[in-house]
Amino acid sequence: MYTQRFLTLKSFLSTSRIYYSRKMSKCTIGVGQMTSTNNKEENLNVVKRLVQEAADKKAKMIFLPEACDYLATHREEAKTLAEQLNGPLIKEYLNLAKTFKMWLSIGGFHEIVKDKNDTVKLNNCHIIINDQGNIVSVYRKLHLFDVSIPERNINLKESDDVVPGKEIVEPVQTPCGLVGLAICYDLRFPELSVLLRKKGASILTFPSAFTQLTGQAHWEVLLRARAIENQCYVIAAAQYGNHNKKRVSFGQTMVVDPWGKVIGELKTYSENVPKDEELLMVDIDLGLIDKIRMDMPVLEHRRDDIYKIIQLEKGLISPDSQESFSFAQKTILSSQAFLCTQHSFAFTNIRCVVPGHVLVASKRIAKRLEDLSADEISDLFQTVVKVQRVMETVHGANSSTICVQDGKCAGQTVPHVHVHILPRKSGDFDRNDDIYQELANHDRDDSIIRPPEEMVEEATLLRKYFYLK
């Protein structure tokens, strides 16, 4: 039987230094560099060759640069060449992934859309495709490059035709770890990278088409800074060379490790070197990330008492809100909650079966799952997965028991839909399934009631993993 049913505050704070325990595993990836033009067929052939080469070299995933679909010569051509996400070019990419059993990062795809005035616009999309040939994530570029330096022949105003994205996308679980998605100019806004790290990212990606001028000045230093401050690998697939008479890209595709060391890079553009495609092969070592973060836990050292930068996602409220939550006839104070979404909230538990046992409940009082709408159910379980990931990270666990007691006969003692999340470790119970008996009995065991101040302290620590402050 597991004897320590809940953590003291001291032991909880100690376990917060333990990050998700992984074996010292490595994953081989490919990172492509190319010179896109307005010839989509030619660009696709380059992508095919890069994917083929990466597959031959046993890569699990390949990262391609921004605008790997095309770089147009003028604005109207850009709109003419754009497609929807179910168009023929995306289907080619999906087929490539499936054929070569390769995950693809399509670093910048021009998605055609219409604004509220029915005007044709574009989204600059970073798309992740799994090895089964399915799109698993789409990020639309948040920060648009509007820069004019006439004396350097730079006049780019992305916002003329591109619609800015509206949300930060959750990091994507891939064979090489949790990948946080960004595009090119996003590199200059460190808040985005910090938020992705707080959401669990092990890798930050910046597929780019940096100009020659800005690339020479800032490319490497920015990539290394993002890696160091967030203790993440940074992968930056780059466009290279002359795309047309008006556009030149810097190149220097690069991978930086979480200590800030450049572990692989390709050439920068030179007028004496013709356009070329190249593939960089590197190994991502997840164990190195864990070691660096344990040795120097910078995320825990942020001065929340001095400065705050709070992310307000769709459906997400500030952790400083004075709002309280109804849990059947009980009241959960905002100080004991650590995450609130549009339809759900997560909070610390007064009786814990194992360390890190927390609850996620629907915001609207509903007795059974069947009483929730489809949107509420979707939000509830997406929140559960998000919380599960963090609880395993905090408690050094590699598994979780997720349980819903849906109705009185199933053991539900609080008539309000809620999900139990219990981080699991090898040997935490003599018999693995004993946890269900403990869960059934724990609400009647007053000896394990936790003091309110301990629950508040735990919620305060957990909140740091969901909100940038």
Side-chain angles (χ1 to χ4, degrees):
M1 184 66 65
Y2 192 83
T3 55
Q4 184 185 4
R5 293 183 178 177
F6 63 93
L7 290 175
T8 63
L9 175 59
K10 182 178 179 180
S11 62
F12 178 84
L13 293 173
S14 175
T15 60
S16 72
R17 293 180 176 269
I18 302 174
Y19 287 83
Y20 180 58
S21 178
R22 307 180 184 98
K23 295 180 180 179
M24 294 293 288
S25 58
K26 293 184 178 181
C27 176
T28 301
I29 64 166
V31 190
Q33 180 160 293
M34 61 187 289
T35 310
S36 292
T37 67
N38 60 350
N39 188 325
K40 292 173 65 176
E41 183 177 357
E42 181 179 297
N43 299 333
L44 176 59
N45 287 333
V46 172
V47 169
K48 287 180 178 179
R49 290 194 293 269
L50 290 169
V51 172
Q52 171 78 71
E53 183 180 351
D56 290 344
K57 294 179 177 178
K58 309 302 182 184
K60 297 291 185 182
M61 186 169 186
I62 184 170
F63 294 80
L64 298 164
E66 180 184 25
C68 56
D69 54 349
Y70 64 86
L71 265 167
T73 57
H74 56 82
R75 292 174 55 189
E76 291 309 311
E77 182 181 53
K79 296 177 183 178
T80 301
L81 294 174
E83 299 182 14
Q84 295 181 332
L85 293 184
N86 59 355
L89 184 55
I90 287 291
K91 290 178 182 178
E92 290 278 2
Y93 292 148
L94 299 181
N95 186 57
L96 265 179
K98 187 174 182 179
T99 299
F100 290 100
K101 303 299 180 186
M102 174 89 65
W103 283 66
L104 305 184
S105 163
I106 305 298
F109 176 86
H110 296 83
E111 176 192 23
I112 192 165
V113 293
K114 291 187 178 181
D115 65 13
K116 60 184 179 181
N117 298 318
D118 213 32
T119 302
V120 173
K121 292 281 189 176
L122 305 173
N123 282 323
N124 190 347
C125 301
H126 185 168
I127 302 169
I128 302 296
I129 301 170
N130 68 17
D131 57 2
Q132 302 301 307
N134 299 312
I135 294 176
V136 295
S137 186
V138 179
Y139 163 77
R140 294 171 174 86
K141 189 176 181 182
L142 290 177
H143 303 98
L144 302 184
F145 189 67
D146 287 1
V147 176
S148 179
I149 310 176
E151 64 271 22
R152 296 299 187 99
N153 198 30
I154 295 176
N155 186 25
L156 296 170
K157 192 172 183 183
E158 196 172 14
S159 64
D160 280 346
D161 301 301
V162 177
V163 179
K166 296 182 179 179
E167 62 180 346
I168 300 170
V169 173
E170 291 291 318
V172 183
Q173 185 65 64
T174 74
C176 55
L178 279 164
V179 175
L181 306 184
I183 300 174
C184 198
Y185 193 48
D186 289 329
L187 175 61
R188 293 184 180 273
F189 301 87
E191 300 86 353
L192 173 59
S193 294
V194 174
L195 280 166
L196 289 169
R197 158 68 202 277
K198 289 174 70 65
K199 289 171 174 289
S202 301
I203 297 169
L204 302 174
T205 52
F206 298 98
S208 297
F210 250 58
T211 68
Q212 182 77 343
L213 174 65
T214 56
Q216 288 174 337
H218 300 146
W219 176 246
E220 181 173 335
V221 70
L222 284 171
L223 291 172
R224 295 184 69 188
R226 296 297 87 85
I228 294 166
E229 64 200 10
N230 295 293
Q231 300 172 312
C232 290
Y233 279 94
V234 167
I235 299 173
Q239 288 285 347
Y240 167 91
N242 283 293
H243 307 285
N244 51 56
K245 293 180 179 179
K246 298 179 180 179
R247 186 76 181 269
V248 179
S249 290
F250 179 63
Q252 200 181 5
T253 287
M254 185 178 293
V255 178
V256 186
D257 79 10
W259 193 245
K261 179 182 178 182
V262 178
I263 59 173
E265 63 182 311
L266 299 177
K267 63 177 178 285
T268 60
Y269 173 69
S270 168
E271 292 183 0
N272 300 321
V273 180
K275 70 176 184 178
D276 192 19
E277 69 205 54
E278 285 189 281
L279 184 70
L280 174 67
M281 301 293 297
V282 297
D283 287 335
I284 299 298
D285 184 351
L286 299 178
L288 177 63
I289 300 172
D290 291 338
K291 182 180 186 306
I292 288 172
R293 292 180 180 182
M294 284 192 290
D295 290 347
M296 191 180 295
V298 295
L299 195 66
E300 297 176 35
H301 297 160
R302 291 187 176 276
R303 288 297 304 273
D304 295 349
D305 58 323
I306 301 297
Y307 58 85
K308 298 179 182 179
I309 306 173
I310 300 172
Q311 179 197 358
L312 297 176
E313 293 181 310
K314 181 175 68 174
L316 209 61
I317 66 168
S318 164
D320 299 320
S321 169
Q322 297 304 306
E323 179 181 0
S324 61
F325 304 93
S326 295
F327 187 45
Q329 301 304 312
K330 306 174 186 294
T331 298
I332 304 299
L333 301 176
S334 61
S335 59
Q336 295 170 346
F338 55 87
L339 177 63
C340 178
T341 64
Q342 186 173 7
H343 298 296
S344 311
F345 67 102
F347 57 103
T348 53
N349 198 356
I350 195 169
R351 295 181 176 91
C352 293
V353 174
V354 296
H357 178 183
V358 296
L359 304 175
V360 177
S362 61
K363 288 176 74 172
R364 182 172 64 85
I365 297 176
K367 292 183 179 180
R368 302 287 305 279
L369 280 170
E370 66 180 5
D371 299 326
L372 297 176
S373 69
D375 285 345
E376 288 173 319
I377 292 172
S378 175
D379 183 271
L380 178 72
F381 284 101
Q382 288 184 46
T383 304
V384 166
V385 172
K386 184 184 299 185
V387 171
Q388 174 193 3
R389 181 188 302 161
V390 167
M391 299 314 296
E392 289 184 3
T393 295
V394 170
H395 290 276
N398 58 16
S399 304
S400 295
T401 293
I402 309 294
C403 183
V404 180
Q405 295 164 302
D406 195 31
K408 185 175 181 180
C409 294
Q412 184 187 49
T413 56
V414 179
H416 185 148
V417 173
H418 61 284
V419 182
H420 295 263
I421 301 173
L422 303 96
R424 301 297 304 277
K425 297 181 180 180
S426 178
D428 54 6
F429 285 86
D430 292 338
R431 293 188 309 168
N432 193 49
D433 286 350
D434 284 349
I435 193 169
Y436 298 108
Q437 185 63 44
E438 284 294 304
L439 189 60
N441 296 331
H442 83 292
D443 280 346
R444 294 184 285 273
D445 189 348
D446 290 339
S447 68
I448 60 174
I449 291 180
R450 303 168 67 194
E453 58 270 21
E454 183 175 296
M455 297 168 65
V456 169
E457 193 73 21
E458 180 183 358
T460 300
L461 188 148
L462 290 175
R463 205 174 289 130
K464 295 180 181 180
Y465 289 84
F466 300 99
Y467 299 91
L468 176 63
K469 300 176 69 178

